[in-house]
Amino acid sequence: MSKVSAGVTVTRRKLEDRYPFTDVPFQYDADDYEYLPGLRGQGDGFLTPVFFKRGVLLKYDTASGYRLTFASRTYGTITTDEDNQISFGINRNGRVVMWLGDIATLPVPEQYYLLSENVESDHSIGSEFYDGQIDCIFSDPTPENDLLAARTDFLEAARMHFGATLAHLEAEVVAIALDFARPLTDSVKNQQHAADALNKIHVESLDTQAIGKLLSAAGGDPKGLGGLKRLQTLLETLPGSSAISNLMLPLFVTYDLRVANLHLTSTGTASDKMDDITSRLGLPAAAPFFDVYDALVKQLAAAYRGLQELLTP
């Protein structure tokens, strides 16, 4: 005769802890702090992750008095003119993650802005932010991460030099930039997506009105000029401007790559434009799309760094 063991039911009380860093009623889950690896080092709840909608970043990219910089696609920093600074990550679900203890160092009105974009924890903190802050792992950046960081550094140098921001990452562009990676295949659809994404991040994001005002103040005439040409003409007012044309070339190639892949043109016209693009990138005619993509990403990053050097005393 067999014995039947009685079932055992274990009920764990969910933690409802609130940590004494701020009186602003942020949503967070104390279980994250207690059970996610590496967060309990300080023992006081400082490293409790607090989650936000990705749109929370838009204020810091567009409003005066703030700077939004990216070390990579999933690790960034917000800085204010009052020298408040806070790091953040982007998790696999597109949520922005910050530490509760860091948030508490911000002015209370700033905390309430964050509260307006606060969401429940999804318990996912895997990102380069987590790797760097908790595991002290700083992996070699991907070419795409390197490019985004170079763009950030150039725009910061331009802001310091001109006293104005030359480009923004608007809502759509933020989403594209933070998810952008090398295409998995060279299908027509992936080629079009890559060309469109590169153009949105590096060309369409230019603030043509702000650049036009700066150009007018420098004695130039922005009328009839598109964003790239306005930027080139403005930068040509700087010492060492003879290098500007070559440095700007990858940005113009980025625009042309989108035209070749997404505009409704004849096959012959698109092919001719792609031949022109490969030539300007120093590639052989009819080079595979992956070669074009890799060369363009690399040359865009180098262009931003060259432009940054011209703007840095």
Side-chain angles (χ1 to χ4, degrees):
M1 182 175 180
S2 62
K3 294 182 179 180
V4 179
S5 300
V8 177
T9 301
V10 176
T11 301
R12 184 181 71 81
R13 182 178 64 84
K14 184 170 178 59
L15 295 175
E16 301 294 342
D17 292 3
R18 301 293 299 178
Y19 300 111
F21 289 100
T22 175
D23 292 330
V24 177
F26 288 103
Q27 298 182 72
Y28 54 80
D29 192 330
D31 278 356
D32 291 342
Y33 176 71
E34 293 293 332
Y35 297 108
L36 291 175
L39 302 190
R40 293 186 63 191
Q42 299 188 43
D44 57 2
F46 188 99
L47 295 176
T48 302
V50 185
F51 296 80
F52 305 90
K53 300 173 187 175
R54 187 156 56 186
V56 72
L57 299 178
L58 294 181
K59 168 186 173 180
Y60 301 114
D61 186 56
T62 58
S64 61
Y66 299 94
R67 295 190 298 284
L68 180 67
T69 57
F70 287 94
S72 72
R73 287 180 296 129
T74 63
Y75 193 175
T77 302
I78 297 164
T79 306
T80 74
D81 284 351
E82 289 75 35
D83 291 328
N84 295 305
Q85 190 174 83
I86 185 169
S87 294
F88 64 87
I90 310 287
N91 73 10
R92 69 187 65 187
N93 300 318
R95 296 302 192 194
V96 174
V97 188
M98 303 178 192
W99 304 131
L100 177 64
D102 283 341
I103 292 169
T105 67
L106 297 174
V108 171
E110 200 67 63
Q111 293 185 45
Y112 273 104
Y113 166 70
L114 291 175
L115 180 66
S116 71
E117 299 289 335
N118 185 203
V119 294
E120 291 184 0
S121 169
D122 63 8
H123 315 292
S124 173
I125 56 173
S127 63
E128 288 149 310
F129 167 71
Y130 175 85
D131 291 343
Q133 297 237 325
I134 303 303
D135 290 337
C136 298
I137 298 173
F138 294 93
S139 57
D140 293 335
T142 65
E144 290 77 16
N145 282 354
D146 184 55
L147 173 54
L148 187 59
R151 177 187 185 273
T152 292
D153 291 343
F154 160 66
L155 291 176
E156 176 63 10
R159 187 192 69 82
M160 295 294 292
H161 183 88
F162 293 111
T165 301
L166 304 187
H168 292 306
L169 289 177
E170 302 295 350
E172 181 185 11
V173 182
V174 167
I176 293 168
L178 298 181
D179 291 335
F180 189 60
R182 192 177 193 266
L184 294 176
T185 70
D186 64 349
S187 67
V188 171
K189 182 177 180 179
N190 280 343
Q191 290 182 27
Q192 291 176 339
H193 173 73
D196 191 42
L198 283 168
N199 188 71
K200 280 186 167 68
I201 297 167
H202 302 287
V203 179
E204 291 185 22
S205 65
L206 291 173
D207 189 337
T208 56
Q209 185 175 6
I211 297 171
K213 289 180 180 178
L214 291 170
L215 181 55
S216 295
D221 183 4
K223 292 181 180 178
L225 300 181
L228 283 177
K229 201 63 181 176
R230 286 187 179 193
L231 178 60
Q232 178 177 337
T233 307
L234 174 65
L235 295 174
E236 284 175 343
T237 65
L238 301 171
S241 61
S242 59
I244 296 298
S245 180
N246 284 336
L247 288 173
M248 288 286 299
L249 185 143
L251 289 162
F252 284 100
V253 169
T254 299
Y255 174 80
D256 288 342
L257 184 66
R258 183 190 184 282
V259 172
N261 281 274
L262 283 99
H263 281 203
L264 187 60
T265 59
S266 68
T267 302
T269 300
S271 178
D272 290 344
K273 187 166 283 293
M274 283 302 300
D275 286 345
D276 179 59
I277 287 168
T278 56
S279 175
R280 290 153 72 196
L281 292 175
L283 299 172
F289 182 80
F290 278 138
D291 289 355
V292 173
Y293 172 87
D294 290 341
L296 181 55
V297 167
K298 182 178 179 179
Q299 291 184 34
L300 276 169
Y304 281 132
R305 292 201 170 90
L307 293 171
Q308 178 193 355
E309 288 180 9
L310 290 177
L311 289 164
T312 305

